[in-house]
Amino acid sequence: MEKQKTQAFEWFCALRNKITESFLSIEVQSFTQPKIEKRKWNRPGGGSGESTIIFGNIFEKVGINVSRVYGKLEDSAINEISGASESNGEFWASGISLVSHMQSPLIPAAHMNTRLIYTSKQWFGGGMDFTPIYKDEGDCKYIHESIKATCDEFNIEYYPKFKKQCDDYFFLQHRKEPRGIGGIFYDNLTSGNWKNDFEFTKAVGEAFLEIYLHIIHKHMQKSWTKEQREEQLIKRGRYVEFNLLYDRGTRFGLMTNGNPDAIMMSMPPLVKWV
Amino acid sequence: MEKQKTQAFEWFCALRNKITESFLSIEVQSFTQPKIEKRKWNRPGGGSGESTIIFGNIFEKVGINVSRVYGKLEDSAINEISGASESNGEFWASGISLVSHMQSPLIPAAHMNTRLIYTSKQWFGGGMDFTPIYKDEGDCKYIHESIKATCDEFNIEYYPKFKKQCDDYFFLQHRKEPRGIGGIFYDNLTSGNWKNDFEFTKAVGEAFLEIYLHIIHKHMQKSWTKEQREEQLIKRGRYVEFNLLYDRGTRFGLMTNGNPDAIMMSMPPLVKWV
């Protein structure tokens, strides 16, 4: 089990590094000088995390958080986490989460996260979803087909199930509108074959990077109008509304004394409400 | 009772008109041309509201909402509202709410609302609070003393009680910081003398306008720096966090199929998270 934990944590760090390097190389190719910040935080009860934040000219703000936390869960959290009451609140969790807000209103915002959790049970979870301001049918098709191909290599039941979970989850009930065009979302994944579940989780992270790079390269040379930028800032308000009203990770983190700056790292850099 | 309802609704409209005219006259004195929008909305179960939104050069965005809604409460709401289960969910409510976000980072954002509600019970509620970006001791003293003087004319127990309720309510638990410098917040006010409670509610609205105009005039000629503007946009993020994470009105409205644009009218026009 300790070996599994180490393997998973090292993967999340490696994926973070790979994504960061890929994004920075796009900035550099565009002759721009992005600002990179590292923010470390400690969990009072045990463990820590590190946020990497890129502020660039293509990537307006990308937050990537890698955490490894453990110890005893707060009382208020024990009933929220599967298997935690049987472990007397003892848990171990590690994961990566990424949210990317782009300068160009023609490139979707993106979200990806994957994680491994141990209580008295053990499981993987995660997913990815994309939020374009202007829906491009070609992008949609490419994104969903690529995710499906990744899933199908592991289990042909994964894609339809995880796609539906994503659509159900990333929905703004108060506006009766989806956050974006969806993707996949999975949780409590424990097939009985740890290695296979881990490989799937790795494949999700790899697929995310490949898909997003493709979409970015497709649109990054295009110019945009002031009106399109305005639409983007308004659309970002929906992202904020989702995160604060519905997102379980955000609300759970905030209610259990998580580090607010690390949790808010996913917030858009600039937002408008009209 | 019908006469009371009419009187209260007419007052909320009159206060809205008075505030709107005062704010617009400040814009006009500054030789600026604000944009004013009226947005009407209907409550599917009964009643309606009207939002007045000012986008100006002094007042970056002011939203003032006056509503009069009635009928049967949604099931999910009945247990949230005092006396509603005894009235089989029948209710009547009218109120005014105002949130003001200023161009100048030297002028506080402000919030005021008052309301009258009937279920099987009847009560007034409301209050005001101010959120400066840079705390000015003179302003603080003036604001709290003016509010206290207004309260003391009615009942000397009001101010300490309502001030504490305001401080307790407008607190960002996840950041362990108050939203601003406070003010007063009262609810379930039903002293047995309807007329007196109504007069107090009117006095709160009048005092708000007087206080805010004083503060605005004190600071509106001062210039500010880019860094101060940046601080303001970040501080506004805390306002958004409060509204979506904690504000009972916002969360209650959204969860009971309220009009999202009317509810989100209080959101700041431009916000930054870094």
Side-chain angles (χ1 to χ4, degrees):
Chain A
M1 197 161 91
E2 291 312 308
K3 207 180 138 195
Q4 290 175 351
K5 290 177 180 175
T6 304
Q7 264 187 300
F9 174 66
E10 284 175 356
W11 162 254
F12 296 133
C13 292
L15 180 61
R16 187 253 332 266
N17 296 345
K18 189 172 171 183
I19 292 172
T20 306
E21 280 159 29
S22 298
F23 286 5
L24 291 182
S25 84
I26 290 176
E27 290 282 342
V28 170
Q29 285 163 34
S30 312
F31 305 103
T32 56
Q33 189 62 51
K35 194 178 102 186
I36 303 164
E37 273 184 41
K38 293 264 182 190
R39 300 178 192 165
K40 297 191 184 201
W41 50 270
N42 289 307
R43 179 178 174 274
S48 62
E50 185 179 67
S51 305
T52 304
I53 305 169
I54 304 170
F55 297 96
N57 285 292
I58 307 289
F59 297 89
E60 189 172 342
K61 182 183 174 193
V62 179
I64 313 179
N65 194 49
V66 172
S67 64
R68 178 171 49 174
V69 291
Y70 45 80
K72 233 175 131 58
L73 281 169
E74 290 79 1
D75 282 348
S76 58
I78 289 181
N79 293 323
E80 304 271 327
I81 305 283
S82 179
S85 58
E86 293 82 355
S87 69
N88 288 317
E90 291 290 326
F91 81 108
W92 183 97
S94 179
I96 180 172
S97 70
L98 175 152
V99 172
S100 172
H101 299 284
M102 307 300 282
Q103 294 278 4
S104 168
L106 306 178
I107 307 177
H111 162 249
M112 182 275 295
N113 88 76
T114 53
R115 57 187 174 267
L116 169 61
I117 298 175
Y118 290 85
T119 56
S120 64
K121 301 180 182 176
Q122 166 271 308
W123 71 94
F124 288 94
M128 67 178 108
D129 72 292
F130 297 85
T131 306
I133 293 87
Y134 299 96
K135 208 166 152 178
D136 174 311
E137 289 303 331
D139 287 355
C140 278
K141 196 166 174 291
Y142 168 77
I143 288 169
H144 292 303
E145 284 179 359
S146 304
I147 297 174
K148 182 176 186 301
T150 302
C151 291
D152 285 353
E153 281 181 42
F154 291 83
N155 186 327
I156 55 157
E157 289 172 7
Y158 280 2
Y159 180 71
K161 185 177 166 192
F162 299 163
K163 179 184 191 304
K164 183 176 183 311
Q165 286 176 185
C166 184
D167 290 341
D168 291 347
Y169 183 71
F170 292 106
F171 189 79
L172 284 79
Q173 192 57 45
H174 65 290
R175 293 192 181 272
K176 309 273 182 282
E177 68 185 39
R179 171 160 99 168
I181 60 158
I184 51 167
F185 180 71
Y186 65 104
D187 207 358
N188 301 308
L189 180 70
T190 175
S191 69
N193 182 336
W194 188 91
K195 193 169 176 306
N196 206 49
D197 295 348
F198 181 42
E199 288 303 321
F200 174 67
T201 289
K202 286 165 75 172
V204 167
E206 302 266 20
F208 166 76
L209 180 58
E210 193 183 319
I211 291 167
Y212 203 32
L213 290 179
H214 176 90
I215 301 284
I216 290 167
H217 280 112
K218 184 173 156 192
H219 300 293
M220 63 182 275
Q221 305 296 343
K222 297 176 187 165
S223 60
W224 62 85
T225 66
K226 217 180 135 213
E227 288 70 29
Q228 288 172 325
R229 175 70 178 168
E230 180 88 2
E231 283 296 316
Q232 181 190 36
L233 300 187
I234 293 166
K235 182 79 175 170
R236 284 181 181 170
R238 309 291 192 263
Y239 220 90
V240 171
E241 291 174 17
F242 182 85
N243 280 8
L244 297 178
L245 288 171
Y246 303 111
D247 189 61
R248 286 197 285 260
T250 303
R251 294 188 61 83
F252 181 79
L254 294 176
M255 300 307 163
T256 55
N257 292 316
N259 181 296
D261 288 318
I263 296 165
M264 294 295 173
M265 176 206 75
S266 64
M267 294 299 240
L270 196 66
V271 188
K272 260 194 169 176
W273 277 273
V274 291
Chain B
M1 198 161 90
E2 290 312 308
K3 206 179 141 197
Q4 290 174 351
K5 290 177 181 174
T6 304
Q7 264 187 300
F9 174 67
E10 284 175 357
W11 161 253
F12 296 133
C13 291
L15 180 61
R16 187 254 330 266
N17 296 346
K18 189 172 172 184
I19 293 173
T20 305
E21 279 159 29
S22 299
F23 287 3
L24 291 182
S25 84
I26 291 176
E27 290 282 342
V28 170
Q29 285 163 33
S30 313
F31 304 103
T32 57
Q33 189 60 53
K35 194 178 105 188
I36 304 163
E37 273 183 43
K38 294 262 184 191
R39 300 178 191 166
K40 297 192 185 198
W41 51 271
N42 290 306
R43 179 178 174 275
S48 62
E50 185 179 66
S51 306
T52 304
I53 305 170
I54 304 170
F55 297 96
N57 285 292
I58 308 288
F59 298 89
E60 189 172 343
K61 183 184 174 190
V62 178
I64 313 178
N65 194 48
V66 172
S67 63
R68 179 170 50 173
V69 291
Y70 46 81
K72 232 175 133 57
L73 282 168
E74 290 78 4
D75 282 347
S76 59
I78 289 181
N79 293 323
E80 305 271 327
I81 305 282
S82 179
S85 58
E86 292 82 354
S87 69
N88 289 316
E90 289 291 325
F91 81 109
W92 183 97
S94 180
I96 180 172
S97 70
L98 175 153
V99 172
S100 172
H101 299 282
M102 307 300 283
Q103 294 278 3
S104 168
L106 306 178
I107 307 178
H111 163 248
M112 182 275 293
N113 88 75
T114 53
R115 55 188 174 268
L116 169 62
I117 299 175
Y118 290 84
T119 56
S120 65
K121 301 179 180 175
Q122 167 270 308
W123 70 94
F124 287 94
M128 67 177 108
D129 72 292
F130 296 86
T131 306
I133 293 86
Y134 300 95
K135 210 167 152 176
D136 174 311
E137 289 303 332
D139 287 355
C140 277
K141 196 166 175 290
Y142 168 77
I143 288 169
H144 292 303
E145 284 179 359
S146 305
I147 297 174
K148 181 175 185 303
T150 302
C151 291
D152 285 354
E153 281 181 42
F154 291 84
N155 187 326
I156 56 157
E157 289 173 7
Y158 280 0
Y159 180 70
K161 185 177 167 192
F162 298 164
K163 180 185 191 306
K164 183 176 184 308
Q165 285 176 183
C166 184
D167 290 341
D168 290 347
Y169 184 72
F170 292 107
F171 189 79
L172 284 79
Q173 192 57 44
H174 64 291
R175 294 191 182 271
K176 309 272 183 281
E177 68 184 42
R179 172 161 97 170
I181 59 157
I184 50 166
F185 180 70
Y186 65 103
D187 207 0
N188 300 307
L189 181 70
T190 175
S191 67
N193 182 333
W194 189 90
K195 194 170 175 308
N196 206 49
D197 295 348
F198 181 43
E199 287 305 321
F200 174 66
T201 289
K202 285 165 74 172
V204 168
E206 302 267 20
F208 165 76
L209 181 57
E210 192 182 319
I211 291 167
Y212 203 32
L213 290 179
H214 176 89
I215 301 285
I216 291 167
H217 280 112
K218 183 172 156 193
H219 299 293
M220 64 182 275
Q221 305 295 342
K222 298 175 187 165
S223 60
W224 62 86
T225 66
K226 216 180 136 211
E227 288 71 28
Q228 289 172 323
R229 174 70 178 169
E230 180 89 2
E231 283 296 317
Q232 181 189 37
L233 300 187
I234 292 167
K235 181 80 176 168
R236 284 180 181 170
R238 308 292 192 262
Y239 219 91
V240 172
E241 291 173 18
F242 181 85
N243 279 8
L244 297 178
L245 287 170
Y246 303 112
D247 189 61
R248 286 196 286 262
T250 304
R251 294 188 61 82
F252 181 79
L254 294 176
M255 300 306 163
T256 54
N257 291 316
N259 182 298
D261 288 318
I263 296 165
M264 295 295 172
M265 176 207 75
S266 64
M267 294 299 238
L270 195 65
V271 188
K272 259 193 170 178
W273 277 272
V274 291

